[in-house]
Amino acid sequence: MGSRARRKQRWCAQTLTPLLEGPDPDMQEEGNKKESSWEVIREWFRLQKGLPAGNSFSVSLHGSIPVKGQDLRLLLGVLGCPLAPIPLVNDPIHRIHIKNTPIENSAAHYIIQQYLAATGCLKQQKCMKNMYSTGSVKMIRCETEISSGKNVKSLGTRSGENGCFVLWQMLPGMWSLELVVGENKVIAGSDGKIVWRHTPWLGTHAAKGPQRPLRRIIQGLDPKSTASLFAKAQCLGEKRIGEDDCFVLKVAADREAVMERSEGPAEVLRHVLYGYFCQKSGLLMYLEDSHLTRVQTPENETIYWETTIGSSIGDYRDVDGVLIAHQGRSIATVFRFEEVSVQHSRTRMEEVWRIDDVVFNVPGLSMDYFIPPADIYDASP
């Protein structure tokens, strides 16, 4: 009861809206959150069209939030705490019936077994019950390209903000993330049933659809979670990433799952994740996922938003017998296009991250630490 009481003091109760995994900068005055998140995103791109090149300090439509602050909110909305497309597989991943399994799936299973062996998970003696990690990030907002079909206009300048994060994880499926960049703080978590996020400008939001893992965890930070995510993957073939020849594995959310994540005029069409595993070392070298949403505007326009994140993963180091990736770089692209128009906009952003500390089996860490905020907890069935 003490933990719940503290949570209620910390969070303000409010009506919940579903978590959107695209950009969600709030173009409104604080406390006025009646517009939907997708309307807010549309206003952000409209604002970009009206800015002269290189101007990153203009005043927003409401005259309250500088554009530089909006850029950072866009960065945090896209790269702060995205989720993987599918839930983790709870079945033991070392069991597979070859007889009735397609060759694409059996090949992927073999590659994942090699990955587990390469990271040291197969010979691990101690059972890893929980994990604590800290790290630093630099988020960089690059330019936006706006095309009218004939001409392409580039807006904005390359600018970055430094930050740090703390991540706790307890199996199965519980995690808690605090990320601070600039003057903004994003808090997200899961108790194994509910995934939620809190930002100062949008408040607290619960994710719709199946419970899915934090993308930051499967970026080489927890090999077992990565293996569980790709347990039912398909092997698409081979591709060269940098100097390494890699096997390409694919997982995708099914139609029913993406439909559960749709909200109002925003319909999620697909969410796909590709993992690139080095043929020589067996390690995960690159992750790429693509998230496509269709939005029907009040003016009956059909607008598509595609968010793509590609992450290079490296600097593997031994932590208690397990190889953990200690640094990487993610490049995200938010692509906006219309169904009947040649006009489109493309915004590119980056995150460079480094892991500073990793500790397994932290004494005293309990399930109480992962209790959701009071407003979400009280609203849950």
Side-chain angles (χ1 to χ4, degrees), residues 21-265:
E21 294 176 53
D24 57 1
D26 186 3
M27 300 297 295
Q28 310 160 75
E29 297 179 6
E30 295 297 325
N32 181 17
K33 303 185 175 74
K34 294 182 180 179
E35 296 182 33
S36 74
S37 297
W38 286 109
E39 289 171 341
V40 168
I41 300 169
R42 186 170 50 141
E43 290 302 319
W44 184 88
F45 272 89
R46 284 180 178 175
L47 177 61
Q48 297 300 305
K49 293 181 182 180
L51 288 178
N55 190 344
S56 60
F57 288 93
S58 297
V59 178
S60 72
L61 298 178
H62 294 272
S64 59
I65 306 174
V67 173
K68 183 178 180 182
Q70 300 296 342
D71 292 344
L72 183 55
R73 293 181 178 186
L74 180 71
L75 279 166
L76 291 170
V78 175
L79 289 170
C81 49
L83 304 177
I86 63 173
L88 298 180
V89 175
N90 294 323
D91 296 331
I93 58 176
H94 60 275
R95 296 179 182 175
I96 185 172
H97 300 287
I98 301 294
K99 183 178 180 180
N100 298 318
T101 303
I103 184 64
E104 296 87 354
N105 297 93
S106 58
H109 175 82
Y110 174 79
I111 293 166
I112 289 302
Q113 290 297 303
Q114 294 300 307
Y115 169 68
L116 287 171
T119 54
C121 292
L122 293 183
K123 62 180 180 180
Q124 190 177 359
Q125 299 297 323
K126 290 195 302 182
C127 178
M128 299 299 184
K129 297 179 179 179
N130 62 56
M131 179 187 67
Y132 159 83
S133 65
T134 61
S136 57
V137 300
K138 182 175 183 179
M139 292 192 170
I140 304 166
R141 192 262 177 169
C142 301
E143 65 183 14
T144 296
E145 293 182 354
I146 298 177
S147 173
S148 61
K150 297 181 179 179
N151 301 314
V152 178
K153 181 170 63 174
S154 296
L155 304 173
T157 56
R158 184 181 176 92
S159 59
E161 292 278 355
N162 295 318
C164 59
F165 66 88
V166 177
L167 175 63
W168 299 86
Q169 182 188 19
M170 177 177 284
L171 300 176
M174 290 176 280
W175 52 267
S176 175
L177 171 73
E178 293 192 22
L179 171 67
V180 178
V181 180
E183 298 180 355
N184 290 274
K185 183 176 184 179
V186 176
I187 306 175
S190 170
D191 64 351
K193 299 178 181 178
I194 302 172
V195 177
W196 56 271
R197 178 178 67 174
H198 176 88
T199 63
W201 56 92
L202 284 178
T204 308
H205 297 258
K208 298 184 68 176
Q211 196 272 342
R212 295 169 288 139
L214 183 69
R215 191 184 192 274
R216 212 171 276 277
I217 291 176
I218 62 172
Q219 293 175 177
L221 190 56
D222 180 9
K224 285 190 174 180
S225 291
T226 304
S228 295
L229 187 74
F230 285 98
K232 295 184 179 180
Q234 291 180 310
C235 180
L236 301 184
E238 305 175 13
K239 186 174 182 179
R240 192 168 183 84
I241 300 295
E243 299 297 321
D244 299 305
D245 292 318
C246 297
F247 294 113
V248 184
L249 270 57
K250 171 190 173 182
V251 293
D254 58 34
R255 183 60 184 160
E256 183 179 350
V258 295
M259 286 181 64
E260 287 183 43
R261 289 157 53 184
S262 299
E263 176 216 2

Side-chain angles (χ1 to χ4, degrees), residues 295-348:
V295 181
Q296 194 73 32
T297 69
E299 297 83 9
N300 287 326
E301 298 175 340
T302 301
I303 300 176
Y304 293 87
W305 300 86
E306 183 174 25
T307 303
T308 303
I309 305 176
S311 302
S312 301
I313 301 166
D315 191 16
Y316 280 87
R317 304 180 195 175
D318 186 291
V319 179
D320 294 340
V322 179
L323 286 182
I324 302 296
H326 276 67
Q327 66 178 3
R329 177 180 180 225
S330 295
I331 299 177
T333 301
V334 180
F335 183 48
R336 175 197 183 277
F337 59 98
E338 300 179 22
E339 194 168 62
V340 296
S341 173
V342 295
Q343 293 186 354
H344 65 265
S345 303
R346 188 191 308 271
T347 297
R348 185 174 180 270

